[in-house]
Amino acid sequence: MKHWQDVVSTLVGVWLIVSPWVLGLDIHTNVAAFGCFVVIGVLLCACGLCEFFIPEAWEEYSELYLGALLMVSPWMLEYKAALPVATSMAMACGGLVLAMALWVLVTDDQFGWMRRRLAH
């Protein structure tokens, strides 16, 4: 394991997978939020597992996009008004994943933006 941020993002992914049942989201009435959380959670876990074994920049960029997608999902999938708790959770989890991915992309010694800039 190279980055502790990968563990955080993977745990957020696990939380997103189980959260529809914890929050009591009904798959029949809230299929958009339910599906969004499960699919993005699975993708975050997959990226996290890849990062544990072969850390590369594409995994961080994937997490960056998944975090941003999670943050805009209440508006894109139109569940913002109907599910305020799910909206808050999407914003919080998406922001956390986005922050962790940016942190690694800025500071990593192999593919970090800041390290590359300071080396020149």
Side-chain angles (χ1 to χ4, degrees):
M1 181 179 73
K2 185 172 181 181
H3 306 111
W4 63 268
Q5 296 90 339
D6 299 335
V7 175
V8 173
S9 295
T10 304
L11 290 175
V12 170
V14 171
W15 165 247
L16 286 170
I17 293 169
V18 299
S19 66
W21 290 276
V22 173
L23 295 176
L25 296 178
D26 182 20
I27 191 168
H28 302 292
T29 57
N30 304 311
V31 70
F34 192 97
C36 175
F37 291 158
V38 172
V39 168
I40 291 179
V42 167
L43 291 172
L44 281 172
C45 287
C47 285
L49 289 175
C50 286
E51 288 174 318
F52 290 149
F53 299 109
I54 306 168
E56 294 191 18
W58 70 266
E59 295 149 347
E60 300 302 333
Y61 284 108
S62 297
E63 287 182 355
L64 189 74
Y65 299 132
L66 289 171
L69 181 62
L70 190 58
M71 290 182 76
V72 299
S73 68
W75 291 272
M76 283 178 35
L77 301 175
E78 299 177 352
Y79 65 84
K80 182 184 181 298
L83 301 168
V85 173
T87 299
S88 298
M89 191 182 71
M91 297 299 291
C93 290
L96 183 59
V97 169
L98 196 70
M100 295 294 107
L102 279 173
W103 189 336
V104 172
L105 285 170
V106 168
T107 62
D108 185 78
D109 57 346
Q110 273 184 310
F111 47 82
W113 298 333
M114 192 62 68
R115 303 284 178 169
R116 253 188 286 162
R117 199 170 278 276
L118 291 175
H120 292 208

